[in-house]
Amino acid sequence: MQENAHVVILLGPPGAGKGTQSVRLSAALGIPAISTGEMLRSESQSGSPLGRSVQSLVANGKLVGDRIMNELVSRRLRQADCARGCILDGYPRTVAQGRFLDALLKNLGAASPHIFDFIVSVQDVVSRLGGRRYCPVCGQTYSNEILTCGRDGSALIQRADDNPSVISERLRVYRRNIGEIVGFYRARNYHPIQAAKEPDVVLRDLLRLLDADVIHRPGGADDRFLSSAFA
Ligand code: AP5
């Protein structure tokens, strides 16, 4: 990672739109979107020893252990495409992961992260996840009523953890951890985001707050990160 690389953290319940916005932010800012859930699902799909060891935890909505998650993220953030920073979708999820990430970013020379906490109602979560489908080939996510992938024509499928009982377990796990993790970040570049708005509006809010964070940080504006530079 380059000195002062920017790392954006997206917190929020299942179905809040973290994945949707991380892809959009990635396109707007030119840094990679890293989804720890996606990393775990592709390990499971590949049948690797790691994938086999986490498959049942992920399918049942339980958290994978901090040691495994920290190792995965540490390896990923050292890759060349993260030189200018990255967007973290779904990590950290515990204070232990947050502490590990702080030490890692310090070690890599990155700036202090920007944290966005997606706020959305339980009703929205349940209805969004009930309707979510994804392409098993390219990973693109879709909402209700779309049956085939617009990119490659593959038949869309439902995630193994998008069924009502696992959704309620994921929400329970989220509620158990979110207070502590927000407490950990609240005094920093932390911003609650109203995520029940249209996706384009949520993206605009994120970019506006990101601009403000960057302009007000010691050293001032950084043109690489002003969203106007990407308009
Ligand atoms: P992960 O894949 O991270 O799942 P999650 O946090 O439950 O989040 P989702 O991917 O379900 O939702 P999202 O917020 O990304 O919403 P999306 O944009 O898709 O993790 C899965 C599992 O992996 C965990 O349960 C755990 O087991 C394990 N894991 C992962 N990270 C871990 C970690 N750090 N530590 C330990 N374990 C870990 O949107 C949802 C739907 O809504 C879509 O259909 C979308 O099109 C639609 N939508 C999005 N935005 C809007 C909008 N503004 N308006 C209307 N619809 C919208």
Side-chain angles (χ1 to χ4, degrees):
M1 242 177 210
Q2 289 169 3
E3 200 179 331
N4 283 327
H6 290 271
V7 172
V8 178
I9 294 174
L10 305 185
L11 305 175
K18 304 181 296 295
T20 302
Q21 295 300 333
S22 69
V23 171
R24 288 161 173 250
L25 278 173
S26 169
L29 302 174
I31 53 176
I34 298 174
S35 156
T36 44
E38 199 49 52
M39 290 167 90
L40 295 169
R41 283 186 289 279
S42 69
E43 287 286 344
S44 298
Q45 241 173 0
S46 75
S48 68
L50 170 63
R52 288 199 302 274
S53 74
V54 300
Q55 192 159 22
S56 130
L57 289 170
V58 174
N60 289 298
K62 313 281 185 201
L63 288 189
V64 172
D66 291 333
R67 196 178 51 78
I68 292 179
M69 298 313 302
N70 292 341
E71 177 64 26
L72 274 178
V73 169
S74 170
R75 265 194 257 143
R76 183 65 186 88
L77 262 57
R78 290 172 197 278
Q79 289 175 7
D81 64 333
C82 294
R84 293 177 59 235
C86 65
I87 297 141
L88 287 173
D89 158 16
Y91 179 95
R93 265 168 148 103
T94 64
V95 169
Q97 292 179 14
R99 291 209 177 96
F100 178 88
L101 180 65
D102 274 355
L104 177 65
L105 295 181
K106 193 168 173 203
N107 190 254
L108 294 173
S112 178
H114 311 268
I115 302 109
F116 296 100
D117 185 9
F118 284 40
I119 313 293
V120 69
S121 69
V122 172
Q123 290 92 316
D124 279 342
V125 165
V126 170
S127 109
R128 286 181 186 186
L129 294 185
R132 175 167 65 181
R133 299 290 180 273
Y134 82 101
C135 172
V137 176
C138 71
Q140 174 74 26
T141 294
Y142 294 89
S143 303
N144 269 330
E145 291 167 19
I146 300 173
L147 300 176
T148 54
C149 178
R151 288 180 177 169
D152 53 40
S154 307
L156 302 181
I157 58 174
Q158 195 168 25
R159 255 170 60 172
D161 58 351
D162 275 353
N163 68 66
S165 67
V166 182
I167 292 171
S168 42
E169 176 60 12
R170 287 159 66 200
L171 279 167
R172 191 187 69 76
V173 169
Y174 164 78
R175 288 198 191 99
R176 192 183 64 202
N177 291 296
I178 190 62
E180 249 192 357
I181 192 98
V182 168
F184 180 70
Y185 281 126
R186 199 188 295 277
R188 310 213 219 156
N189 297 319
Y190 167 85
H191 307 281
I193 283 279
Q194 292 306 326
K197 302 176 187 171
E198 284 299 309
D200 286 348
V201 179
V202 178
L203 178 67
R204 200 189 57 208
D205 291 350
L206 288 167
L207 290 172
R208 189 174 41 77
L209 289 164
L210 205 43
D211 278 358
D213 264 7
V214 172
I215 289 167
H216 292 124
R217 92 171 39 220
D222 174 347
D223 283 347
R224 296 174 313 165
F225 260 72
L226 295 180
S227 61
S228 52
F230 300 90

